[in-house]
Amino acid sequence: MCTSAACNIAAEERELLPTNVTPTHYDLFLAPDLDSLTYSGRVSIKLRINEPTDKIVLHANELEIKDVHIASAALGLDAPLKASAVALEKDDETLHLSFAQQIPSDTEATLTVSFGSVLNDLMVGFYRSAYTDAQGGTKHMATTQFEPTDARRAFPCWDEPMQKATFDITLRVKEELVALSNMDVAKTESVGDGLKEVAFNTTPIMSTYLLAFVVGELEYIEAETSGKYNGRPIPCRIYTTPGKSEKGRFALDVTVKVLEYYADVFGIAYPLPKLDQIAINDFEAGAMENWGLITYREVALLVDEANTSSRAKQQVAYVVSHELAHQWFGNLVTMEWWSELWLNEGFATWVGTLAVDHVFPEYHIWTQFLVDEFQRALALDALRSSHPIQVPVRRSSEISQIFDAISYSKGGSAIRMLSSYIGLDSFFKGIRAYLQKHKYANASTANLWSALSDASGADVTKFMALWTQTIGYPILTVTEAADGAKLHVRQNRYLSAGEATEEEDQTLWWVPLGIVTSETKSQDSSDVLTAREADFDASVSAAKWYKLNKDTVGIYRVKYPASAVANLADAISAGQLDINDRIGIIADSASLASSGHSNTSDFLTLLRAYDKETEFVVWQEIVLRIDALQSVWASASEEVKANLQTLSRKLFSPLVARLGWESTSKSEDSLVSRLRALAIRGAGMSGDKAVVDEANRRFSAFFDGDKSVFTTDTLRTAFAVAVRNGGRDEFEKVKSYYLDAENPVDQKLAALSCLGFTTDPALVDELLEFALSDKVRNQDVHQAIVAISTYGAHRERLWKWYRDSYDQLVTRYRASMNYMGILVRLSIGEFIGDAKADEIAAYFSDKNTSKFQRVIDQSLEKIRSNTAWYEKDKDDVAEWFVQNAL
């Protein structure tokens, strides 16, 4: 919750509907026609009249309003009163109604609106999703996506999180179709002409964005939870289009375990009578937590046990756990407004990871969290164009831009830091109190902090408000006292572009230091820095090494004296540091080099300490840092680029030699399998001839019919290596794999993403044309272009495609403009040069980019900061290679 005057003003300036009436219940009837791809509907809304009025304003967007009337005993009329004026305001997405008679306050009324619309192809509102049936024909289902503000595209409503109500849903559909909604079916009744009406039981009080309904030819598998913590078994189903339901078996198994786990740790049983989850072919988000009817992209829910990669399978476990967490945190207790989005997403990111760790401890997912979430958050939040976790949102056009790594990943990292500090027992005690107090209602960040403060005895509000209300995070500069008994620690705001100005460097964060030494490594200190700088007891002279931020829990970077870095490097080489600390040290070193707080040569020297590293997640972080270095140095001399390639081979070729191409057993650790794939990619993409030759040999055998030559994890890697080092033949074969509907969806998308590794300009042009064809779903265009910018010579080609396709893209994604942000980030984010940044800024200057401007600003800032990094360290890197012959 914002406590400053500025934040209070922001709240007052929110563009909200008038409060003269309040909805309490919706009776919604919909009749979708999957042949004409249209639907008709009628909604009767019970209203509480808060003040005398003859005008009502609610939300509606791209609906045809056919009839409007209102009924109220207070009007004293024998028949409902028809609206005297009906006006749709397109810009505000509102429906304005006027009536000839005023309705008295403190009464009730029922507003009824008849309407119709198309089942659109925009992946929002009530829309159509296409799929291919067993006979090769195109079929459609009707489905929904309402978050954040698209319930109003499906039916007239009060489409704000605070406007909770109950809902009765009735769907009129063909007899042979399945109809689903949030609740279980109350009754099904044939109505003639081959149609039936399916009425669902009344929902709990809930927000409009969590409503859902799906109609189509569907099949399902089902199971029940144990009921141990829910007090009763919860029936759970996975729905798919025909022929795919068995691929939902893994997700179903995760569901029944995690649903009980959450009932235990949250202390509240799952409140609905059933839980359905469904795979949708056309789906812009990854998944959506609609209460009792969760919708997913196919790749986020379905697993082919024989062919899905271990990476994709783990992601299914996480996404399911994330969405199930929302059934309590977001659905049962809902944020009061979109500025509190992180309450939903940050918490679900953290607790979803916790649940996966509970069910699959072998995934070591908290270690992966450091790379997938923590470092991702720090990268974005190091930009001046980032935003606080709690960000003021005034109007609906601003909402989609905050569904980003700050709300999700930094929010989750802040929860991780807090729960580590106060302890899980106190944390969940507070969470249970928070959920119990605010269930079926709305809540704010301040409410959460209050509950956690009461549970822990700590003033959580005082130290966490800085983390959620303030943009950025600190860099801690460490110096050692002459007597070796103390460490002096200073905090300043960290920026990827370099030193923060005095004006930018006003925040003094609450920073848990977690100091650990070689002598105390099983127990970190409880020291906390709250001032600009302070001294802390630490017997560093008696230790071989010391480190701040044990387990890399705190949200900050650390800059050590050179001697301390050397000692840490020795400790890494000797295997004395835990995996989370090894990840944090290399990530900090690379980040400080790119921001100018140290030299890139320092990072390259430290990298040598990792030559005996065996853990996948550490190598994953190293790969990300090496890739970034090579991307920024794409315009360096051929000699320097060749040296970077040699460095990469020196790192990854020994791993390939050790791990080989084959799994050692069917029960091989999935992280070992992923490390093998990572090593083959690193060696093959840097030109290791033996690896490239073996990749090509296996590639040919694979397409000759021997599917055993690749594991589920090495297939993607080998495709990338073959396309990067090959020509049209390899490109066309990988493309054919993508187009084959029989292949697992995750591997198809992997193949699509590999096409961009080609070095042939003609093939890049073909790929860019293919990306906008009907062979690539609208939600997957980014997969087609994601690898193009990895080859520096093709960046201009990609940028030209974006400019040439801009109008087409705007039309296609007009209802989900955050996807335009994804495409612009991929199209411009790897450029180097201030002049190029100026050119790009000029291009967008006369365009309406209000719904994705934040991404443009962040991309431009990244270009400028990377340019400064290259200009600062290009000679430093060249000299390092001279001094360190590889």
Side-chain angles (χ1 to χ4, degrees):
M1 178 179 176
C2 294
T3 56
S4 68
C7 285
N8 289 332
I9 291 170
E12 292 170 3
E13 292 177 352
R14 293 173 186 166
E15 294 182 357
L16 302 176
L17 292 173
T19 57
N20 57 335
V21 301
T22 302
T24 60
H25 178 77
Y26 293 77
D27 195 334
L28 176 62
F29 171 86
L30 293 168
D33 185 333
L34 297 185
D35 296 323
S36 66
L37 301 177
T38 61
Y39 70 96
S40 58
R42 181 185 64 255
V43 62
S44 294
I45 311 171
K46 289 185 180 179
L47 302 174
R48 183 171 61 248
I49 310 302
N50 301 319
E51 56 189 70
T53 187
D54 59 0
K55 291 180 172 56
I56 293 175
V57 181
L58 65 163
H59 288 114
N61 189 13
E62 299 192 4
L63 298 174
E64 179 188 356
I65 305 301
K66 298 177 179 179
D67 181 68
V68 180
H69 59 263
I70 196 164
S72 173
L75 290 173
L77 301 175
D78 294 332
L81 180 66
K82 289 183 68 70
S84 58
V86 177
L88 283 165
E89 295 292 338
K90 182 178 179 180
D91 291 344
D92 294 335
E93 301 176 352
T94 52
L95 174 61
H96 294 248
L97 307 174
S98 298
F99 298 91
Q101 189 171 334
Q102 193 173 74
I103 311 167
S105 63
D106 300 320
T107 62
E108 293 185 346
T110 299
L111 174 70
T112 300
V113 183
S114 297
F115 58 94
S117 190
V118 298
L119 294 168
N120 68 69
D121 61 354
L122 301 173
M123 297 185 289
V124 293
F126 196 20
Y127 72 95
R128 65 183 186 264
S129 173
Y131 64 95
T132 304
D133 65 15
Q135 289 71 44
T138 298
K139 294 287 187 71
H140 290 94
M141 70 168 71
T143 186
T144 56
Q145 171 60 36
F146 291 163
E147 188 182 29
T149 57
D150 283 304
R152 64 191 69 174
R153 285 184 184 272
F155 63 100
C157 58
W158 276 256
D159 200 12
E160 297 167 355
M162 284 282 286
Q163 299 285 4
K164 286 192 167 187
T166 54
F167 294 82
D168 282 325
I169 307 296
T170 301
L171 299 174
R172 179 183 290 174
V173 302
K174 287 184 177 181
E175 288 275 12
E176 67 271 19
L177 298 180
V178 175
L180 303 172
S181 190
N182 304 78
M183 295 295 289
D184 53 338
V185 174
K187 67 175 181 177
T188 301
E189 170 173 61
S190 294
V191 294
D193 295 328
L195 299 174
K196 63 182 178 182
E197 288 185 1
V198 182
F200 300 88
N201 282 310
T202 305
T203 70
I205 188 170
M206 60 187 286
S207 301
T208 50
Y209 80 90
L210 295 168
L211 202 65
F213 19 92
V214 180
V215 176
E217 294 179 352
L218 304 171
E219 64 181 33
Y220 66 87
I221 56 173
E222 63 182 335
E224 290 185 337
T225 70
S226 68
K228 180 178 180 180
Y229 298 105
N230 278 297
R232 60 188 171 87
I234 306 296
C236 302
R237 290 180 175 180
I238 304 289
Y239 282 88
T240 69
T241 52
K244 296 182 178 179
S245 59
E246 276 302 319
K247 294 179 181 178
R249 187 67 61 184
F250 175 74
L252 185 61
D253 184 54
V254 172
T255 299
V256 296
K257 293 175 181 175
V258 171
L259 210 58
E260 289 294 331
Y261 174 70
Y262 284 155
D264 178 23
V265 297
F266 295 153
I268 296 177
Y270 175 72
L272 270 60
K274 57 87 178 177
L275 177 68
D276 294 334
Q277 298 173 95
I278 181 168
I280 308 294
N281 296 73
D282 295 293
F283 197 79
E284 196 262 337
M288 177 60 210
E289 65 266 20
N290 316 299
W291 212 357
L293 177 56
I294 307 174
T295 46
Y296 296 81
R297 284 191 187 196
E298 285 193 324
V299 72
L301 188 66
L302 304 185
V303 170
D304 179 333
E305 288 288 358
N307 298 300
T308 294
S309 69
S310 61
R311 169 189 182 187
K313 186 175 180 179
Q314 178 186 299
Q315 186 65 10
V316 168
Y318 167 72
V319 175
V320 168
S321 299
H322 181 108
E323 301 309 320
L324 293 181
H326 281 309
Q327 305 304 296
W328 286 263
F329 228 94
N331 300 7
L332 182 64
V333 178
T334 309
M335 66 204 165
E336 64 178 18
W337 179 242
W338 297 104
S339 56
E340 306 277 5
L341 175 67
W342 90 277
L343 272 179
N344 285 12
E345 300 303 348
F347 184 83
T349 298
W350 177 83
V351 82
T353 305
L354 189 75
V356 173
D357 187 58
H358 173 75
V359 179
F360 301 103
E362 67 272 19
Y363 286 173
H364 302 287
I365 195 168
W366 278 119
T367 299
Q368 296 185 59
F369 182 96
L370 286 183
V371 178
D372 297 337
E373 306 294 348
F374 182 85
Q375 296 299 337
R376 179 169 169 251
L378 265 61
L380 181 55
D381 207 33
L383 299 174
R384 289 184 169 94
S385 48
S386 181
H387 63 82
I389 291 175
Q390 288 177 265
V391 56
V393 175
R394 292 172 173 80
R395 57 188 64 88
S396 59
S397 62
E398 299 172 353
I399 297 170
S400 63
Q401 297 191 78
I402 63 171
F403 283 80
D404 63 4
I406 301 302
S407 297
Y408 286 73
S409 303
K410 188 183 179 186
S413 297
I415 291 290
R416 175 173 174 258
M417 180 172 68
L418 172 60
S419 63
S420 175
Y421 184 74
I422 67 174
L424 273 182
D425 288 344
S426 293
F427 183 80
F428 273 118
K429 180 182 177 182
I431 291 298
R432 287 189 286 270
Y434 167 84
L435 291 173
Q436 192 65 44
K437 182 176 182 179
H438 300 285
K439 63 184 179 181
Y440 302 110
N442 298 81
S444 67
T445 300
N447 298 139
L448 178 61
W449 294 159
S450 176
L452 291 171
S453 295
D454 291 344
S456 66
D459 190 350
V460 172
T461 303
K462 181 178 180 180
F463 56 76
M464 287 305 294
L466 289 169
W467 287 106
T468 59
Q469 295 176 13
T470 308
I471 187 173
Y473 58 90
I475 175 175
L476 304 188
T477 302
V478 182
T479 53
E480 301 166 11
D483 61 4
K486 290 182 181 293
L487 291 177
H488 183 80
V489 184
R490 177 182 175 86
Q491 64 164 301
N492 299 93
R493 182 180 172 187
Y494 175 80
L495 287 172
S496 58
E499 298 290 342
T501 65
E502 183 177 349
E503 183 180 356
E504 294 169 325
D505 194 19
Q506 296 297 308
T507 302
L508 296 178
W509 282 275
W510 172 87
V511 187
L513 296 180
I515 301 171
V516 64
T517 75
S518 58
E519 307 306 309
T520 64
K521 59 183 179 181
S522 62
Q523 180 73 41
D524 61 315
S525 73
S526 58
D527 295 317
V528 176
L529 176 66
T530 57
R532 173 67 68 190
E533 52 192 314
D535 293 322
F536 298 91
D537 292 331
S539 300
V540 296
S541 60
K544 295 178 180 177
W545 53 265
Y546 66 88
K547 181 187 181 296
L548 275 65
N549 203 8
K550 176 174 169 53
D551 293 328
T552 315
V553 172
I555 304 174
Y556 53 88
R557 302 285 186 200
V558 183
K559 181 179 181 181
Y560 299 96
S563 59
V565 175
N567 291 338
L568 286 170
D570 290 342
I572 291 168
S573 292
Q576 296 172 358
L577 289 180
D578 292 337
I579 182 171
N580 287 13
D581 291 321
R582 301 199 302 274
I583 292 169
I585 288 168
I586 197 66
D588 281 0
S589 177
S591 298
L592 298 187
S594 63
S595 62
H597 291 87
S598 66
N599 295 322
T600 304
S601 57
D602 298 330
F603 162 71
L604 294 172
T605 298
L606 178 62
L607 204 53
R608 289 175 156 182
Y610 290 79
D611 59 355
K612 299 184 185 70
E613 182 58 58
T614 59
E615 295 291 342
F616 162 72
V617 187
V618 181
W619 279 111
Q620 187 183 14
E621 181 64 29
I622 290 171
V623 165
L624 291 172
R625 301 301 176 170
I626 292 293
D627 284 352
L629 179 61
Q630 290 185 321
S631 178
V632 173
W633 261 251
S635 59
S637 69
E638 292 303 318
E639 180 183 3
V640 170
K641 286 192 290 186
N643 283 332
L644 286 169
Q645 291 282 76
T646 301
L647 172 65
S648 189
R649 290 195 298 274
K650 290 281 188 181
L651 289 168
F652 299 110
S653 295
L655 281 175
V656 179
R658 179 169 67 83
L659 296 170
W661 284 76
E662 308 288 348
S663 296
T664 54
S665 69
K666 289 185 177 180
S667 60
E668 181 180 67
D669 188 323
S670 64
L671 297 186
V672 173
S673 178
R674 292 172 67 182
L675 177 58
R676 176 183 297 108
L678 192 77
I680 292 170
R681 176 192 180 275
M685 299 299 273
S686 58
D688 182 312
K689 186 176 185 304
V691 173
V692 172
D693 288 347
E694 183 63 11
N696 287 336
R697 185 189 72 77
R698 290 173 180 261
F699 183 88
S700 296
F702 181 86
F703 283 99
D704 285 340
D706 183 2
K707 305 305 182 187
S708 68
V709 294
F710 296 134
T711 68
T712 58
D713 292 320
T714 58
L715 183 140
R716 178 191 193 119
T717 286
F719 278 9
V721 173
V723 171
R724 171 52 60 89
N725 293 280
R728 177 168 292 280
D729 182 60
E730 290 77 12
F731 181 90
E732 293 295 346
K733 284 177 177 174
V734 173
K735 184 178 176 182
S736 71
Y737 184 93
Y738 163 71
L739 291 170
D740 188 342
E742 296 301 312
N743 291 322
V745 63
D746 71 297
Q747 301 287 29
K748 280 163 51 71
L749 293 176
L752 179 63
S753 69
C754 287
L755 294 174
F757 284 114
T758 181
T759 60
D760 186 336
L763 293 178
V764 170
D765 289 342
E766 290 181 24
L767 174 59
L768 291 170
E769 183 178 351
F770 180 72
L772 294 182
S773 73
D774 60 4
K775 302 296 184 183
V776 178
R777 292 185 183 272
N778 289 357
Q779 72 214 27
D780 296 329
V781 171
H782 70 285
Q783 298 278 10
I785 69 171
V786 66
I788 294 176
S789 63
T790 63
Y791 192 64
H794 291 162
R795 290 172 185 170
E796 286 291 350
R797 233 175 192 81
L798 180 58
W799 172 224
K800 182 178 185 301
W801 167 84
Y802 184 89
R803 298 195 310 273
D804 292 346
S805 307
Y806 184 81
D807 291 340
Q808 180 183 354
L809 293 171
V810 168
T811 300
R812 178 182 290 195
Y813 299 110
R814 62 184 172 82
S816 51
M817 291 293 277
N818 57 318
Y819 198 79
M820 286 292 290
I822 293 172
L823 296 180
V824 75
R825 179 184 286 116
L826 293 174
S827 298
I828 68 174
E830 300 306 309
F831 275 122
I832 297 296
D834 290 336
K836 177 57 67 175
D838 292 342
E839 173 201 319
I840 293 167
Y843 172 78
F844 285 114
S845 63
D846 62 351
K847 293 174 172 54
N848 181 6
T849 58
S850 60
K851 293 185 178 181
F852 60 102
Q853 184 60 45
R854 194 186 298 274
V855 176
I856 295 173
D857 293 341
Q858 290 165 354
S859 298
L860 292 173
E861 186 176 348
K862 179 185 175 185
I863 293 171
R864 296 187 192 281
S865 62
N866 280 345
T867 300
W869 175 24
Y870 177 67
E871 292 299 327
K872 175 184 74 76
D873 276 359
K874 60 183 179 181
D875 293 337
D876 173 64
V877 169
E879 181 59 26
W880 188 87
F881 281 117
V882 171
Q883 299 297 325
N884 296 270
L886 299 177

